[in-house]
């Protein structure tokens, strides 16, 4: 058996472990569950609801994962009907001809209520309508999904606690990021939620934790003996998590311009990936054991310092053939003309523990770049006492996501075929879409909403994780803002500021 065959079999085994949902003890099919569930979507008329939440609920229903006795209530200020909501959702949902009857059944589970964001009478009305639907049930659970602006979280949560808690079962509250702007505001929100709900009732949604590539990190690390001996500072030179978007904000500057790339992606999504890559082996696959391991890793991570940060902002690229790339960040009408918000950031994390001391963890993220892709790159050190006159190149393990396609790659040094002693780099590639051409891989929101219904919090952020994440990023964020540091300009459609590449080299990432 060739080396390539061995590695492909290893990757196939890893992927299979993930596809079998090794870390979720429940049966995949939940349609026959006899417990009544009410799902209340607050902010039902918004962008997140129509693009992500309603489609995810439909796909769960289509595939037999949504609980049989489920009712869905959309709530928003707009005077709409459920037919209006259905029309708004239609562009973001795929329905095959043979699914039309099932699709109509799904919408029969849905109702819409309109009302204000914080009036007592409106939340009393939500409770009355939901209670009427539960009247003949012996057990009835409630899920409240806050697809709302962050400023409304405290008042909405207070109203849920005051008027809408389940009378015959459990209550769960799902909160979308951002969870604050810094340590102080995050702690204030956490304390407010803790005063209302227990930790096992709060589901802090970070949709990156629902991606296949992220969920596969546990399998890859702890189900493959070949990686364990080398997963440490003695063998690894550097690790990079690289998030690239080849589009700009495209009229969505209202939220982004007040937050920037570090808050939008790095402090949450990418730091979660780092914690899964770097944490010690958990005691078990119980959600709290895994989250305990992540928190312990984050506690050993130093706060970032400005000397280890590069920030940038994309500008128009007049030479580009793509009209989108000829529009700079500050040219967007939803962005202030003098904005110094970073659309690109690179920083270096340093972890002080026995496994990782001295290994830089580089996290890099940007909009307006040359490609749309997320990579986790584990780059190994150079070979000691190289026998091949410097021809050996560093090994790399790459976990990649491009659009909805996931891949695993191993980059090795091998002899060039033929009558020669030359060496070259080869790439051994496992592509999910090629290995599983008929697989309907669920989206991130499908996976995470199913976790909420099942009551498993493995893929949700715990309050102590959140606190440690903000501890790491808050000092540098405040310094950037207080000193009004201007980001380095880079052209739309390029790889970002050259200074970021120099920072990588400085930290031994080649």
């Amino acid at each position: 058996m060739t080396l390539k065959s061995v590695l492909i079999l290893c990757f196939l085994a890893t992927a299979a472990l993930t596809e079998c949902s090794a870390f979720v003890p429940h049966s995949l099919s939940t349609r026959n569950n006899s417990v009544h569930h009410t799902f209340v979507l607050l902010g039902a008329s918004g962008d997140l609801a129509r693009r992500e939440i309603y489609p995810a609920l439909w796909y769960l229903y289509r595939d037999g994962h949504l609980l049989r006795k489920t009712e869905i209530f959309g709530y928003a200020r707009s005077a709409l009907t459920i037919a209006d909501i259905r029309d708004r959702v239609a562009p973001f949902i795929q329905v095959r001809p043979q699914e039309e009857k099932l699709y109509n059944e799904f919408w029969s589970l849905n109702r819409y209520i309109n009302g204000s964001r914080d009036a007592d009478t409106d939340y009393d009305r939500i409770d009355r309508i939901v209670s009427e639907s539960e009247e003949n049930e012996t057990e009835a659970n409630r899920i409240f999904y806050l697809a709302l602006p962050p400023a409304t979280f405290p008042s909405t949560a207070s109203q849920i606690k005051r008027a809408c808690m389940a009378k015959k079962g459990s209550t769960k509250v799902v909160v979308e990021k951002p969870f604050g702007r810094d340590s102080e505001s995050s702690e204030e929100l956490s304390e407010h939620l803790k005063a209302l709900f227990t930790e096992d009732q709060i589901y802090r949604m970070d949709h990156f934790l629902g991606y296949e590539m992220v969920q596969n990190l546990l399998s890859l690390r702890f189900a493959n003996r070949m990686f364990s001996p080398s997963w440490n500072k003695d063998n690894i030179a550097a690790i990079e998590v690289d998030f690239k978007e080849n589009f700009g904000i495209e009229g969505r500057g209202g939220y982004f311009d007040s937050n920037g790339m570090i808050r939008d992606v790095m402090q949450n999504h990418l730091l979660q990936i780092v914690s899964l890559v770097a944490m010690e082996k958990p005691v078990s696959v119980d959600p709290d054991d895994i989250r305990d391991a992540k928190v312990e890793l984050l506690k050993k991570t130093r706060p970032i310092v400005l000397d280890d940060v590069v920030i940038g902002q994309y500008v128009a690229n007049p030479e580009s053939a793509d009209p989108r790339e000829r529009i700079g960040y500050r040219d967007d009408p939803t962005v202030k003309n003098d904005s110094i918000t970073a659309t690109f950031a690179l920083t270096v994390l340093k972890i002080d523990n026995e496994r990782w001391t001295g290994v830089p963890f580089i996290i890099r993220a940007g909009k307006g770049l040359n490609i749309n892709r997320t990579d986790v790159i584990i780059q190994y050190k150079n070979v000691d006492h190289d026998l091949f006159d410097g021809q050996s190149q560093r090994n790399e393990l790459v976990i990649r996501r491009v659009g909805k396609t996931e891949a695993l790659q191993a980059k090795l040094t091998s002899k060039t075929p033929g009558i020669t002693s030359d060496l070259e780099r080869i790439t051994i590639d496992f592509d999910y879409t090629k290995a599983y051409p008929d697989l309907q891989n669920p989206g991130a929101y499908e996976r995470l909403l199913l976790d909420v219904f099942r009551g498993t919090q493995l893929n949700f952020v715990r309050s102590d994780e959140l606190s440690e994440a903000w501890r790491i990023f808050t000092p540098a964020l405040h310094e950037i803002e207080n000193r009004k540091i201007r980001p380095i300009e880079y052209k739309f459609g390029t790889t970002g500021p050259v200074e970021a590449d120099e920072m990588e080299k400085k930290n031994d990432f080649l």
Side-chain angles (χ1 to χ4, degrees), residues 35-39 66-72 109 453:
V35 178
H36 185 278
H37 278 74
T38 300
F39 186 92
L66 198 63
L67 303 170
R68 181 175 60 84
K69 298 173 74 171
T70 298
E71 290 190 77
I72 301 166
L109 304 176
F453 277 102

Side-chain angles (χ1 to χ4, degrees), residues 183 261-263 266-268 271 274 298 300-311 345-352 360-364 468-480 483 503 507:
S183 289
M261 187 54 73
I262 294 177
R263 286 190 177 94
M266 299 178 85
Q267 177 272 338
N268 37 65
L271 187 62
V274 168
L298 294 175
K300 300 294 184 181
T301 304
R302 300 181 205 170
I304 59 173
V305 295
L306 216 53
D307 286 345
D308 290 330
V309 176
V310 175
I311 58 172
L346 178 147
T347 191
V348 182
L349 298 176
K350 297 174 181 177
I351 299 170
D352 294 322
F361 283 76
I362 302 164
I363 50 178
R364 176 174 179 147
E468 290 299 326
W470 279 118
R471 176 190 61 80
I472 293 165
F473 280 92
T474 292
L477 279 168
H478 282 178
E479 191 171 358
I480 290 168
R483 291 172 54 183
M503 181 70 78
N507 284 278

Side-chain angles (χ1 to χ4, degrees), residues 142-414:
R142 297 182 182 182
I143 298 168
F144 294 88
Y145 196 113
L146 277 60
L148 298 167
T152 68
F153 288 174
S155 60
T156 303
S158 295
Q159 288 287 10
I160 292 169
K161 178 65 174 180
R162 182 193 67 80
C164 299
M165 299 293 282
K167 314 297 190 296
K168 302 178 181 180
S170 67
T171 301
K172 301 167 189 170
V173 177
V174 186
V175 185
E176 275 277 350
K177 80 170 185 69
F179 313 117
R181 288 182 51 81
D182 54 18
S183 289
E184 183 178 355
S185 58
S186 176
E187 186 65 23
E188 184 178 336
L189 176 59
S190 289
E191 288 302 314
H192 183 82
L193 292 176
K194 284 181 187 176
L196 302 172
F197 311 107
T198 60
E199 184 65 32
D200 62 359
Q201 292 177 306
I202 304 169
Y203 289 71
R204 297 174 187 85
M205 172 76 78
D206 184 334
H207 73 271
F208 249 60
L209 292 174
Y211 286 147
E212 183 74 42
M213 69 171 290
V214 178
Q215 297 205 341
N216 200 16
L217 288 170
L218 284 172
S219 303
L220 187 65
R221 281 203 59 193
F222 301 117
N224 293 289
R225 180 65 180 267
M226 64 185 292
F227 295 128
S228 297
S230 64
W231 210 267
N232 54 52
K233 64 185 179 184
D234 297 328
N235 298 282
I236 292 175
I239 293 176
E240 180 169 271
V241 181
D242 188 6
F243 173 88
K244 299 185 180 81
E245 290 183 332
N246 63 354
F247 50 87
I249 56 161
E250 300 175 353
R252 299 187 299 273
Y255 164 76
F256 187 86
D257 199 51
S258 63
N259 288 279
M261 187 54 73
I262 294 177
R263 286 190 177 94
D264 190 42
V265 174
M266 299 178 85
Q267 177 272 338
N268 37 65
H269 303 330
L270 304 191
L271 187 62
Q272 283 290 324
I273 293 176
V274 168
S275 66
L276 288 166
V277 169
M279 72 182 189
E280 295 300 312
K281 187 175 183 178
V283 175
S284 75
V285 294
D286 179 83
D288 275 333
D289 287 338
I290 291 172
R291 295 193 293 180
D292 285 347
K294 288 162 64 180
V295 170
E296 189 60 31
L297 184 281
L298 294 175
K299 286 180 177 179
K300 300 294 184 181
T301 304
R302 300 181 205 170
I304 59 173
V305 295
L306 216 53
D307 286 345
D308 290 330
V309 176
V310 175
I311 58 172
Q313 186 185 91
Y314 69 83
V315 296
N317 188 348
E319 295 85 22
S320 174
D322 186 340
R324 297 181 311 161
E325 296 184 358
R326 297 198 290 269
I327 302 172
Y329 178 70
R330 294 192 304 276
D331 299 328
D332 191 289
T334 60
V335 172
K336 294 178 292 187
N337 292 333
D338 59 349
S339 173
I340 57 172
T341 297
T343 62
F344 174 97
L346 178 147
T347 191
V348 182
L349 298 176
K350 297 174 181 177
I351 299 170
D352 294 322
N353 66 9
E354 185 176 356
R355 183 182 297 274
W356 297 118
T357 296
V359 178
F361 283 76
I362 302 164
I363 50 178
R364 176 174 179 147
K367 291 181 177 291
L369 300 179
N370 62 325
I371 196 169
N372 195 38
R373 189 170 78 193
T374 301
D375 288 333
V376 180
I377 305 168
I378 293 92
Q379 190 174 97
Y380 282 79
K381 290 183 176 181
N382 296 322
V383 173
D384 291 332
H385 311 297
D386 186 6
L387 300 175
F388 301 99
D389 299 324
Q391 291 189 73
S392 299
Q393 298 184 54
R394 288 185 171 183
N395 299 145
E396 286 184 354
L397 178 66
V398 181
I399 303 106
R400 173 165 292 168
R401 184 175 194 271
V402 184
K404 293 186 176 181
T405 301
E406 316 276 353
L408 294 168
Q409 294 181 342
K411 297 184 179 181
L412 311 173
T413 301
S414 179

Side-chain angles (χ1 to χ4, degrees), residues 69-88:
K69 298 173 74 171
T70 298
E71 290 190 77
I72 301 166
F73 291 85
Y75 180 84
R77 293 181 297 176
S78 306
L80 301 171
T81 66
I82 199 62
D84 296 326
I85 296 292
R86 180 171 176 167
D87 289 343
R88 291 184 175 207

